[in-house]
């Protein structure tokens, strides 16, 4: 199957996965970043497409960066704690993407920072 045909056929599924990742991760993950993460996870052979997009849309310091829990709303902290109790990893970490791959594509991704230590 040609690459263009496969992209066209997989577009609705990829969009569904993108929206699901955005919902799971929360309001700090923009659509383009979620779409790119889903693309890298589901179709690693399209890494060059992602790199081309990142070259045309340069971002600040590429790589995976972490937000700070103390700056989150109490409702978001509770939501993340519940998620981590069920899944043990953030939605982005569950994609199991290599952080070096993300950095090499030129993307700036903000993932969940570690929760505060229970004390």
């Amino acid at each position: 199957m040609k690459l263009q045909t496969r992209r066209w056929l997989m577009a609705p599924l990829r969009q569904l996965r993108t929206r699901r990742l955005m919902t799971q991760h929360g309001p700090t993950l923009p659509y383009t970043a979620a779409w790119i993460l889903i693309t890298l996870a589901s179709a690693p052979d399209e890494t060059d497409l992602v790199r081309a997009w990142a070259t045309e849309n340069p971002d600040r310091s590429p790589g995976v960066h972490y937000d700070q829990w103390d700056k989150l709303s109490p409702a978001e902290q509770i939501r993340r704690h519940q998620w981590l109790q069920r899944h043990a990893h953030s939605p982005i970490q569950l994609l199991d993407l290599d952080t070096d791959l993300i950095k090499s594509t030129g993307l700036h991704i903000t993932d969940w920072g570690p929760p505060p230590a229970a004390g």
Side-chain angles (χ1 to χ4, degrees), residues 51-72:
R51 282 192 180 110
W53 182 89
T55 300
E56 293 173 5
N57 301 282
D59 211 342
R60 57 195 187 276
S61 60
V64 178
H65 305 275
Y66 300 96
D67 60 11
Q68 297 176 344
W69 279 66
D70 59 342
K71 295 186 180 179
L72 300 172

Side-chain angles (χ1 to χ4, degrees), residues 66-103:
Y66 300 96
D67 60 11
Q68 297 176 344
W69 279 66
D70 59 342
K71 295 186 180 179
L72 300 172
S73 69
E76 181 64 11
Q77 289 180 14
I78 291 169
R79 187 185 78 80
R80 288 186 183 188
H81 272 292
Q82 290 172 343
W83 173 275
L84 290 172
Q85 285 176 344
R86 283 192 304 267
H87 303 283
H89 299 286
S90 76
I92 291 177
Q93 292 166 351
L94 290 175
L95 293 174
D96 200 28
L97 289 170
D98 183 23
T99 55
D100 291 333
L101 172 64
I102 293 172
K103 188 174 184 173

Side-chain angles (χ1 to χ4, degrees), residues 7-20:
R7 281 185 187 153
W8 183 81
L9 290 172
M10 296 302 291
L13 181 60
R14 190 172 294 173
Q15 193 163 27
L16 174 70
R17 289 178 178 162
T18 298
R19 297 278 182 205
R20 186 181 308 143

